[in-house]
Amino acid sequence: MHFGLILMPLVLLYGVTGLLFNHPTIFAAGTTEQISEDMLASLVWPEAEAVANSAIQQLAEAGIEVERAPNDKAGYEDYVIIDSTGTDERRRYRVWPNDSYGTVRITPTTDARVSPFPNRLEPFAADLLQSLADDIAETDEQQGARVRLAPGVEFAVMLDGKKWVLEVDGRDGRLDARPVSEPTRPYDVRTFLTRLHRSHGYSRDDSSRWLWALAVDVTSSMMVFWAISGMIMWWQIKPTRSLGMAFVVLGVIAVFALGWAMLRAIYY
């Protein structure tokens, strides 16, 4: 009970932030509108069947003979995303080719930060990082390895009586500069909550992230404990066993069925 009282805010936080992913308009700084039919009317998407037949013909010309699978119907997958950024707002267009439906997400933007510093300096670890990647590729006997993320060096400087935080990227020398009182990127309530929901892993150099990861572990463990202890408590109440078992079986079947459907939707 006392663990529940302590962890109640975290459980509620995960519940609320989980809803934000399904409902993009909650706590949103911008608005979502449907794209006008006039804009979409000029878009004539190639028929999916025609694209599939053309692909089969091109494969045949390349010496690969294939035929359509029985009862197969070609169709577009996913949707188009186009970003348009202006001085006052940012627009993200989504268009679904299958039914020519589209939405636009309009988000106000703040003025770009004016920096007195150059965009890039001389990279200080490019050769070292490439050497490390080459050594890893040779050790693993792979064709190649590439650096996906490189550490930067962060430090503070004073310029005209104003304190700035600078970070130099070790791979390409990119220089990020911001006044010490400003965040690294613009944010709103929704952005903060969703990033909080996705934050995971124990940090080696940030105590707040380490404590957050610990809180996530404790909360997750307690949720598992609550589920198991609830099953034990239910089983001890004999009059409820039959009906409860029916609900347990129904829940297990529903979870596995939905899980299998999502597996097919995501990976196939």
Side-chain angles (χ1 to χ4, degrees):
M1 180 186 68
H2 292 101
F3 264 116
L5 294 175
I6 293 174
L7 298 177
M8 179 267 296
L10 281 172
V11 175
L12 290 178
L13 176 64
Y14 263 78
V16 171
T17 53
L19 288 175
L20 296 180
F21 291 100
N22 275 342
H23 302 276
T25 58
I26 299 178
F27 295 147
T31 58
T32 301
E33 302 175 1
Q34 183 175 343
I35 298 177
S36 65
E37 295 182 358
D38 294 338
M39 178 183 292
L40 298 178
S42 61
L43 297 176
V44 181
W45 296 94
E47 291 290 339
E49 287 291 336
V51 174
N53 293 332
S54 175
I56 291 176
Q57 182 179 353
Q58 294 177 56
L59 290 173
E61 294 173 355
I64 304 175
E65 295 290 342
V66 297
E67 59 182 19
R68 294 290 296 278
N71 302 320
D72 175 64
K73 183 178 180 181
Y76 280 96
E77 289 293 319
D78 296 326
Y79 45 80
V80 182
I81 295 181
I82 298 178
D83 288 333
S84 174
T85 303
T87 56
D88 299 326
E89 63 185 20
R90 181 177 66 254
R91 296 188 172 212
R92 168 160 289 185
Y93 291 84
R94 286 183 171 89
V95 179
W96 285 259
N98 279 323
D99 53 7
S100 294
Y101 175 81
T103 61
V104 54
R105 177 77 180 164
I106 306 172
T107 306
T109 57
T110 57
D111 293 335
R113 181 183 296 146
V114 178
S115 171
F117 302 95
N119 294 328
R120 293 185 185 276
L121 298 176
E122 183 179 347
F124 59 86
D127 294 339
L128 183 149
L129 292 169
Q130 187 58 50
S131 175
L132 177 60
D134 293 341
D135 290 343
I136 290 175
E138 182 178 355
T139 302
D140 293 342
E141 297 182 351
Q142 301 290 339
Q143 292 182 350
R146 62 187 181 91
V147 180
R148 294 190 58 185
L149 181 66
V153 173
E154 184 178 278
F155 55 97
V157 299
M158 300 295 298
L159 179 64
D160 298 331
K162 186 176 183 179
K163 189 175 182 180
W164 290 76
V165 177
L166 307 183
E167 182 177 352
V168 184
D169 190 281
R171 177 174 48 175
D172 57 13
R174 186 180 67 254
L175 179 64
D176 292 328
R178 63 178 175 86
V180 69
S181 59
E182 295 185 8
T184 56
R185 61 177 67 88
Y187 70 93
D188 51 38
V189 173
R190 176 185 174 80
T191 304
F192 169 67
L193 291 176
T194 52
R195 289 182 66 87
L196 198 62
H197 187 100
R198 294 193 299 264
S199 296
H200 59 277
Y202 286 87
S203 174
R204 296 176 60 89
D205 52 9
D206 190 330
S207 58
S208 59
R209 288 180 178 271
W210 193 94
L211 291 173
W212 176 257
L214 177 62
V216 170
D217 275 350
V218 173
T219 303
S220 301
S221 300
M222 288 307 301
M223 292 177 72
V224 173
F225 170 75
W226 291 333
I228 296 176
S229 61
M231 294 279 291
I232 296 175
M233 293 173 64
W234 153 69
W235 188 254
Q236 291 176 340
I237 306 175
K238 293 184 178 180
T240 65
R241 286 183 180 178
S242 298
L243 182 61
M245 180 60 70
F247 279 103
V248 169
V249 172
L250 180 63
V252 171
I253 293 175
V255 167
F256 273 95
L258 182 58
W260 173 252
M262 289 301 296
L263 174 70
R264 301 291 303 181
I266 294 173
Y267 292 103
Y268 294 90

